[in-house]
Amino acid sequence: MTHGTLRLGTRASDLARTQAGTVADALVGVGVNCELVPMTSDGDVTRASLASLGGTGVFAARLRTALLAEECDLVVHSYKDLPTAPHPGLEVVASPVREDHRDALCARDGLALAELPAGARVGTGSPRRVAQLRTVRPDLEVVDIRGNVGTRLAFVTSGELDAVVLAAAGLHRLGLDEVITETLDWPTAPGQGVLAVEIRSSQDAPLREALAQIHDGGTWACAQAERSVLATLEAGCAAPVAAHASISDGVGTPGPRLTVRALAYRPGGGEVLEASAEVEPAEAVAAGADVARRLLADGAADWIHD
């Protein structure tokens, strides 16, 4: 590797810096020095709802502008925050091994979701989680919240809310496992728990070769299947859509098999459409598109684009 120290762009939040740090550490492990270049995005400084900000991409725009301006050499995103359309001049080229993809309930008094009293106030900024909560527990009051992990958890410790729902991956990465009162067994946002390393399309082979050493092919295939669902639905992170893919070891089959499951929720909760497919990992993108088309055929567009 002939590069000097690489400048790795990241959002300035504690979670984003921690995520980027895992990539930097992995690169150091293959002989590449890195320094973090923290930046503040529009999504980090406003308390407006994610839907009103335009949804997917609000956290990524600042990093991408800096990357194109050569203020840094690579950037790290949460893959679920990236629009599905390619960005001119940039490429996502690597994803390390996925963290826990699930959602986590963080509730007062160690309560699980089923144990929360009727009328309990539960906070989330995700329309998908709102629909899931209202489907499972229509008696709850779901409150729209914004802010970093610490801010959201403080709503519970202050008594303003009874619980919040967060991504388990972020809590694990921040060493906050003790605040999780239940790991929720429902499908989550496409790409949740996956990091995306993006570079300029013009960047050279040594950087690409280094990133290939920290890349996980199974994580990549699952993320591409999930994002293909989102792209085919023409939906963003402000839509009540969930998708999750996993790869089995292929026992009883000629090789590994990828299963992708996608769901669309009525925004107010109470109704859900579901489709799934099982394919070879090389067919991940096609499988995601196929299950999305089946959701659309069943009427999902009325909920997604409402």
Side-chain angles (χ1 to χ4, degrees):
M1 184 75 184
T2 58
H3 285 285
T5 299
L6 290 173
R7 299 164 300 163
L8 194 161
T10 173
R11 290 166 53 204
S13 72
D14 288 344
L15 176 55
R17 290 169 67 111
T18 299
Q19 292 176 160
T22 67
V23 173
D25 291 345
L27 284 169
V28 169
V30 297
V32 183
N33 291 325
C34 272
E35 63 179 16
L36 298 187
V37 181
M39 306 172 196
T40 300
S41 75
D42 289 344
D44 294 312
V45 297
T46 178
R47 289 294 175 263
S49 71
L50 189 58
S52 71
L53 294 173
T56 307
V58 67
F59 296 112
R62 173 68 181 97
L63 298 182
R64 287 177 149 177
T65 298
L67 183 57
L68 286 168
E70 301 190 14
E71 296 173 20
C72 53
D73 303 302
L74 67 164
V75 296
V76 174
H77 308 279
S78 291
Y79 219 162
K80 70 183 179 69
D81 291 337
L82 282 186
T84 54
H87 194 288
L90 300 179
E91 295 178 52
V92 176
V93 295
S95 288
V97 174
R98 188 178 209 160
E99 242 295 358
D100 193 338
H101 75 278
R102 297 172 296 176
D103 281 342
L105 184 77
C106 305
R108 63 174 175 82
D109 304 324
L111 296 174
L113 183 59
E115 297 168 335
L116 290 171
R121 291 165 52 84
V122 181
T124 177
S126 160
R128 184 259 310 167
R129 290 177 181 143
V130 170
Q132 289 173 314
L133 285 165
R134 288 177 174 164
T135 298
V136 176
R137 287 288 308 270
D139 58 306
L140 298 176
E141 180 183 352
V142 184
V143 180
D144 183 60
I145 59 171
R146 288 295 313 282
N148 60 29
V149 171
T151 299
R152 295 182 187 218
L153 291 172
F155 284 120
V156 179
T157 55
S158 70
E160 185 175 346
L161 298 177
D162 295 291
V164 293
V165 180
L166 303 173
L171 296 171
H172 294 328
R173 286 175 174 138
L174 289 170
L176 294 173
D177 297 58
E178 73 278 0
V179 304
I180 300 173
T181 59
E182 183 182 8
T183 302
L184 299 171
D185 187 23
W186 59 32
T188 50
Q192 186 159 308
V194 180
L195 300 181
V197 183
E198 191 168 43
I199 65 173
R200 292 183 295 278
S201 302
S202 60
Q203 282 172 285
D204 57 10
L207 175 56
R208 294 171 183 270
E209 291 165 1
L211 292 172
Q213 295 182 67
I214 69 169
H215 177 67
D216 183 72
T219 294
W220 182 261
C222 290
Q224 299 315 305
E226 294 165 17
R227 287 172 59 78
S228 179
V229 171
L230 209 58
T232 305
L233 292 175
E234 298 182 353
C237 63
V241 172
H244 179 65
S246 60
I247 296 179
S248 67
D249 58 12
V251 174
T253 66
R257 303 291 290 174
L258 180 146
T259 301
V260 57
R261 178 186 178 210
L263 300 93
Y265 296 85
R266 180 179 290 279
E271 293 184 72
V272 60
L273 298 171
E274 179 176 349
S276 62
E278 181 182 307
V279 298
E280 296 179 2
E283 299 171 348
V285 172
D290 175 62
V291 297
R293 283 192 291 267
R294 282 190 270 145
L295 290 178
L296 291 171
D298 289 339
D302 292 338
W303 299 348
I304 296 167
H305 304 131
D306 188 10

